């Protein structure tokens, strides 16, 4: 089980957790509804009935007139579905829910009360909106009995707002306070017109109310019979008593409270049919099953959406970290929330940026280190080459000087002593020039020399130097072509150093041209010197600027030069921040530089 759980993705884990929580919650709720809700609802219903009976009893002891008592009983009945009555200690019914019409006769007589116990069976009559102080006409039968003396009459017809209701149900019978009074055979038919003082009617459909009223009356009669038969509950009905009565396939909750009024013991009774409550509970149980299935489907959908909403940022953060593990910092978290996941996403993005920056710096540092190592390697190779070249350049003249000096000392060159002394002096001058060039090149490479920068007309300056080489070129059977525009191009440079560069370029061109043409020119972009002759191999073009570098690998002395001229020219141009290059042309080689 643990292995299965560990293999699940975080989305499925979250979904299962939420699903199990929802299922557990609804299972507990369903269990409570099926096993405890009925008892709970029945208990609070009986408690509510007991409280209503107590409140009615407290109000009843303060009322004196039967009209007020009836209004109170009807009000409590209309506020709920219970049926209320008042019994004497002997079980006689003193008051029941009685619906009445009270009018004030237009001739100024006393108020007249009319029983509506038959009228409430008519659905249309219950729905009639009777307004106080409105005109009404009642036709009734007057009997010379207690009911007439009590000023309570039974209407035959009621005319109100142009509508006439007729009693088709017959006289309802003797009222509770009329026990023992027989109905007269020849009643008087009378009519009265007046204003409505009050009307009490049920607030529920007449058919349902009739069944409830009749069944409740039967339950009260059973309770009265139990009292007359000597029934006495454990608490003696001193305070209150509640029990269940079964009748007509219905269960009734009966609440009874014993009171004392005018020195007499009386019972306030409330009867509540439980069938409607049980039907409602059964209906809610059926609906609860349907609701449970619907909620189960909805719960799965919500859990799936919720799990994705929770885990989506986590999955996105995980994808970003997977990229980071492969040193790919291009992907960023797009979580917009401000909770812990949002802050985590911000931290991951910030860490990604810093790692990207740090690794970039390390890469650059590594590249720089490689370049430095490569430069050091090249410098070491150049040092070795320099030592070898310098040794070679110095070894030959020293050997000549030593040989000629020993020959003079030994008297071998008596007849040509002057000639060999001149050779010695020439070799010493070559060595001196080599040492001077080496010192100058070292100063230039170390950047200890500061050029004296001044403004000059570049065209006039180059033309002046080129004219110096016209005669030497002619003597070597070399044609020099000078291509300089007749205008001023003002540049800032050290004239002595740039003259050395131009002289070197032209001298090299003369050495590598045999009966050909040398070109010297200036344009807006550069100064150039070009000669006819052999091309320089492409892979050697960048190396000709190195110290002691010669295309002649044998370093033949007949070629002349120390191998430092182009290196000195390069360092001079670098001091001026100038661009320079050597390139092959169709006819030969071209050297050029451009001043800033």
């Amino acid at each position: 089980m643990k292995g299965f759980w560990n293999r699940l993705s975080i989305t499925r884990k979250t979904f299962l957790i939420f699903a199990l929580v929802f299922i557990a919650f609804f299972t507990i709720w369903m269990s409570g509804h099926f096993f405890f809700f009925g008892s709970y609802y029945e208990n609070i219903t009986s408690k509510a009935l007991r409280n209503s009976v107590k409140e009615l009893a407290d109000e009843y002891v303060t009322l004196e007139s039967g009209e007020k008592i009836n209004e109170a009983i009807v009000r409590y009945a209309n506020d709920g579905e219970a049926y209320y009555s008042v019994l004497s200690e002997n079980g006689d019914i003193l008051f029941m829910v009685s619906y009445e019409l009270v009018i004030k006769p237009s001739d100024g007589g006393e108020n007249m009360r009319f029983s509506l116990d038959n009228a409430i069976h008519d659905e249309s009559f219950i729905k009639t909106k009777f307004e106080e102080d409105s005109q009404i006409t009642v036709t009734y039968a007057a009997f010379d009995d207690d009911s007439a003396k009590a000023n309570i009459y039974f209407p035959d017809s009621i005319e109100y707002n142009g509508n006439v209701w007729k009693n088709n149900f017959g006289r309802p019978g003797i009222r509770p306070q009329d026990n023992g009074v027989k109905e007269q055979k020849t009643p008087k038919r009378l009519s009265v017109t007046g204003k409505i003082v009050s009307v009490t009617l049920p607030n529920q459909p007449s058919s349902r109310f009739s069944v409830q009223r009749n069944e409740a009356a039967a339950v009260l009669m059973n309770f009265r019979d139990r009292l007359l038969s000597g029934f006495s509950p454990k608490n003696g009905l001193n305070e209150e008593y509640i029990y269940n009565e079964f009748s007509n396939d219905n269960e009734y909750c009966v609440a009874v409270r014993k009171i004392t009024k005018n020195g007499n013991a009386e019972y306030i009774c409330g009867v509540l049919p439980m069938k409607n409550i049980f039907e409602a509970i059964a209906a809610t149980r059926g609906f609860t099953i349907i609701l449970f299935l619907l909620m189960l489907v909805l719960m799965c959908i919500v859990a799936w959406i919720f799990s994705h909403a929770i885990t989506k940022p986590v999955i996105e953060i995980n994808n970003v970290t997977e990229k980071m593990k492969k040193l790919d910092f291009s992907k960023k978290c797009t979580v917009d929330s401000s909770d812990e996941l949002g802050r985590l996403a911000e931290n991951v993005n910030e860490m990604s940026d810093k790692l990207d920056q740090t690794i970039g710096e390390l890469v650059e540092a590594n590249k720089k280190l490689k370049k430095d190592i490569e430069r050091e390697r090249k410098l070491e190779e150049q040092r070795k080459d320099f030592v070898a070249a310098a040794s070679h350049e110095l070894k030959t003249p020293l050997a000549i000087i030593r040989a000629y000096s020993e020959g003079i000392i030994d008297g071998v060159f008596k007849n040509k002593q002057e000639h060999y002394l001149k050779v010695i002096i020439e070799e010493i001058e070559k060595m001196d020039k080599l040492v001077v060039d080496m010192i100058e090149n070292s100063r230039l490479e170390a950047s200890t020399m500061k050029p004296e920068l001044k403004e000059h007309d570049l065209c006039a300056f180059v033309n002046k130097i080129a004219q110096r080489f016209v005669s030497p070129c002619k003597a070597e059977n070399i044609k020099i072509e000078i291509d300089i525009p007749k205008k001023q191009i003002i540049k800032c440079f050290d004239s002595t150093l740039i003259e050395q560069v131009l002289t070197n370029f032209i001298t090299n061109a003369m050495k590598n041209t045999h009966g050909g043409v040398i070109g010297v020119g200036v344009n807006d972009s550069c100064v150039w010197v070009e000669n006819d002759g052999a091309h320089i191999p492409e892979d050697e073009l960048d190396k000709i600027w190195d110290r002691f570098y010669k295309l002649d690998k044998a370093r033949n002395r007949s070629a002349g030069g120390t191998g430092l001229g182009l290196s000195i020219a390069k360092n001079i141009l670098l001091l001026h921040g100038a661009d320079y290059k050597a390139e092959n042309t169709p006819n030969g080689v071209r050297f050029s530089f451009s001043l800033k």
Side-chain angles (χ1 to χ4, degrees):
M1 184 65 182
K2 184 177 181 181
F4 169 74
W5 179 259
N6 292 334
R7 287 194 300 269
L8 291 177
S9 65
I10 187 172
T11 302
R12 288 186 172 87
K13 288 179 181 178
T14 307
F15 170 75
L16 286 177
I17 290 173
F18 279 110
L20 291 175
V21 170
F22 278 123
I23 291 174
F25 171 77
F26 281 111
T27 301
I28 294 173
W29 178 63
M30 286 283 292
S31 301
H33 189 82
F34 273 89
F35 299 107
F36 303 104
F37 179 72
S39 300
Y40 170 75
Y41 194 74
E42 186 177 353
N43 181 61
I44 62 173
T45 301
S46 62
K47 183 178 180 181
L49 177 63
R50 189 165 60 248
N51 292 335
S52 297
V53 170
K54 181 179 182 301
E55 292 175 2
L56 177 59
D58 293 340
E59 185 176 351
Y60 173 76
V61 296
T62 63
L63 301 176
E64 296 297 336
S65 68
E67 181 180 339
K68 296 294 184 182
I69 293 173
N70 187 69
E71 288 182 359
I73 292 176
V74 170
R75 185 175 69 254
Y76 275 89
N78 284 341
D79 288 343
E81 295 186 354
Y83 187 81
Y84 298 92
S85 63
V86 180
L87 276 66
S88 67
E89 188 174 15
N90 296 326
D92 295 333
I93 299 177
L94 301 178
F95 295 96
M96 294 179 68
V97 176
S98 179
Y99 297 97
E100 298 178 350
L101 167 66
V102 181
I103 66 174
K104 178 70 175 176
S106 300
D107 58 7
E110 295 181 357
N111 291 349
M112 297 182 66
R113 296 165 58 194
F114 294 93
S115 173
L116 301 179
D117 289 346
N118 280 341
I120 60 176
H121 296 287
D122 191 335
E123 194 83 28
S124 61
F125 186 84
I126 293 180
K127 293 181 179 179
T128 302
K129 303 295 183 183
F130 292 95
E131 297 181 359
E132 294 183 3
D133 295 330
S134 58
Q135 197 78 10
I136 192 169
T137 299
V138 180
T139 301
Y140 60 97
F143 294 91
D144 187 15
D145 57 16
D146 292 341
S147 64
K149 293 177 182 179
N151 200 26
I152 299 176
Y153 303 94
F154 298 93
D156 290 330
S157 65
I158 298 175
E159 182 179 352
Y160 178 74
N161 282 343
N163 297 320
V164 178
W165 171 81
K166 292 185 178 181
N167 182 7
N168 297 319
F169 300 94
R171 187 177 180 185
I174 305 301
R175 290 177 56 83
Q177 59 267 43
D178 299 332
N179 286 340
V181 178
K182 297 182 179 180
E183 184 178 356
Q184 296 180 0
K185 297 181 179 180
T186 56
K188 299 177 181 179
R189 301 293 175 179
L190 301 176
S191 177
V192 62
T193 299
K195 292 183 178 180
I196 297 175
V197 176
S198 63
V199 179
T200 54
L201 291 171
N203 59 356
Q204 53 187 309
S206 61
S207 57
R208 178 181 174 186
F209 174 77
S210 298
V211 174
Q212 175 185 323
R213 187 167 184 259
N214 294 336
E215 292 181 358
V219 172
L220 284 174
M221 294 303 101
N222 291 337
F223 176 70
R224 184 183 66 174
D225 294 341
R226 296 173 71 184
L227 285 177
L228 295 176
S229 64
F231 167 75
S232 179
K234 292 181 180 180
N235 59 3
L237 289 178
N238 291 328
E239 291 296 332
E240 60 185 18
Y241 174 65
I242 188 164
Y243 72 102
N244 290 342
E245 176 90 20
F246 295 91
S247 177
N248 300 320
D249 296 327
N250 196 355
E251 182 177 348
Y252 295 86
C253 180
V254 182
V256 182
R257 188 174 184 85
K258 185 178 181 180
I259 61 170
T260 301
K261 184 175 182 180
N262 299 326
N264 298 319
E266 299 179 2
Y267 299 100
I268 307 297
C269 303
V271 180
L272 179 65
M274 302 297 289
K275 183 177 182 179
N276 295 335
I277 296 175
F278 294 151
E279 289 176 352
I281 293 174
T284 57
R285 285 176 177 174
F287 177 74
T288 301
I289 295 175
I290 298 174
L291 182 63
F292 174 77
L293 296 176
L294 293 176
M295 291 300 295
L296 185 63
V297 175
L298 181 62
M299 173 271 300
C300 292
I301 297 174
V302 171
W304 182 257
I305 295 174
F306 194 65
S307 61
H308 273 267
I310 290 294
T311 58
K312 182 180 179 181
V314 178
I315 294 174
E316 183 176 355
I317 293 173
N318 181 66
N319 292 335
V320 172
T321 54
E322 286 288 338
K323 293 284 187 180
M324 292 171 59
K325 184 176 69 175
K326 299 176 182 177
L327 300 181
D328 181 3
F329 304 101
S330 59
K331 189 174 179 61
K332 294 292 186 290
C333 300
T334 58
V335 181
D336 298 327
S337 61
S338 56
D339 54 9
E340 289 79 2
L341 288 176
R343 290 194 292 271
L344 176 61
E346 292 177 0
N347 293 336
V348 170
N349 288 339
E350 185 176 353
M351 181 174 64
S352 175
D353 292 336
K354 289 185 177 180
L355 284 174
D356 189 16
Q357 180 181 356
T358 303
I359 292 177
E361 292 175 353
L362 289 174
V363 170
E364 290 299 322
N366 188 46
K367 290 181 179 178
K368 185 178 179 182
L369 180 60
K370 287 182 178 179
K371 289 180 180 180
D372 291 341
I373 293 173
E374 183 65 20
R375 184 170 57 86
E376 290 295 329
R377 185 185 64 79
K378 289 182 178 180
L379 288 175
E380 180 64 19
E381 290 179 356
Q382 290 177 0
R383 184 186 66 79
K384 292 178 179 179
D385 293 342
F386 174 76
V387 172
S391 300
H392 184 273
E393 293 294 335
L394 292 174
K395 182 179 181 180
T396 300
L398 286 174
I400 294 172
I401 293 172
R402 179 178 179 179
Y404 285 3
S405 299
E406 290 177 348
I408 293 172
I409 293 173
D410 294 338
V412 176
F413 305 122
K414 287 184 178 180
N415 296 329
K416 296 182 179 180
Q417 185 174 350
E418 182 178 353
H419 168 73
Y420 289 109
L421 288 174
K422 288 181 179 180
V423 172
I424 291 173
I425 292 172
E426 289 176 0
E427 293 299 328
I428 291 173
E429 289 177 350
K430 289 180 181 179
M431 292 175 60
D432 180 65
K433 185 176 186 308
L434 175 62
V435 172
V436 170
D437 288 346
M438 290 170 59
I439 294 172
E440 182 179 5
N441 192 56
S442 297
R443 290 174 60 198
L444 290 170
E445 288 181 345
S447 300
T448 58
M449 180 182 292
K450 301 297 181 183
E452 296 181 6
L453 302 178
K454 294 181 180 179
E455 290 185 351
H456 301 277
D457 180 4
L458 186 61
C459 293
F461 176 78
V462 174
N463 185 57
K464 176 183 175 182
I465 296 173
Q467 291 296 334
R468 295 178 186 173
F469 287 89
V470 173
S471 296
C473 286
K474 188 176 181 180
E476 297 288 337
N477 195 23
I478 297 173
K479 182 180 179 182
I480 184 170
E481 295 179 352
I482 302 174
D483 183 12
I484 298 175
K486 295 180 179 180
K487 65 177 182 179
Q488 288 188 342
I489 299 177
I490 304 301
K491 295 288 183 179
C492 189
F493 56 89
D494 187 320
S495 59
T496 302
L497 295 178
I498 297 300
E499 180 181 352
Q500 188 175 353
V501 172
L502 276 172
T503 300
N504 181 275
F505 285 176
I506 296 173
T507 301
N508 280 343
M510 290 176 63
K511 291 178 181 178
N512 293 282
T513 301
H514 306 286
V517 179
I518 294 176
V520 180
V522 178
N523 55 37
D524 292 333
S525 60
C526 68
V527 178
W528 51 270
V529 176
E530 183 176 352
N531 65 275
D532 294 342
H535 288 164
I536 300 175
E538 291 295 330
D539 58 345
E540 304 283 343
L541 283 174
D542 292 334
K543 299 178 181 179
I544 62 175
W545 305 98
D546 296 340
R547 293 173 297 183
F548 296 111
Y549 185 82
K550 290 184 178 182
L551 290 175
D552 180 15
K553 303 302 180 182
R555 310 193 67 85
N556 191 349
R557 286 174 56 84
S558 62
T562 62
L564 292 173
L566 289 178
S567 178
I568 292 173
K570 176 193 72 173
N571 290 323
I572 290 174
L573 293 173
L574 290 176
L575 284 177
H576 284 77
D579 295 328
Y580 61 93
K581 65 179 178 178
E583 57 186 337
N584 292 316
T585 63
N587 298 322
V589 180
R590 177 173 177 164
F591 288 82
S592 63
F593 66 90
S594 58
L595 298 171
K596 300 295 183 180

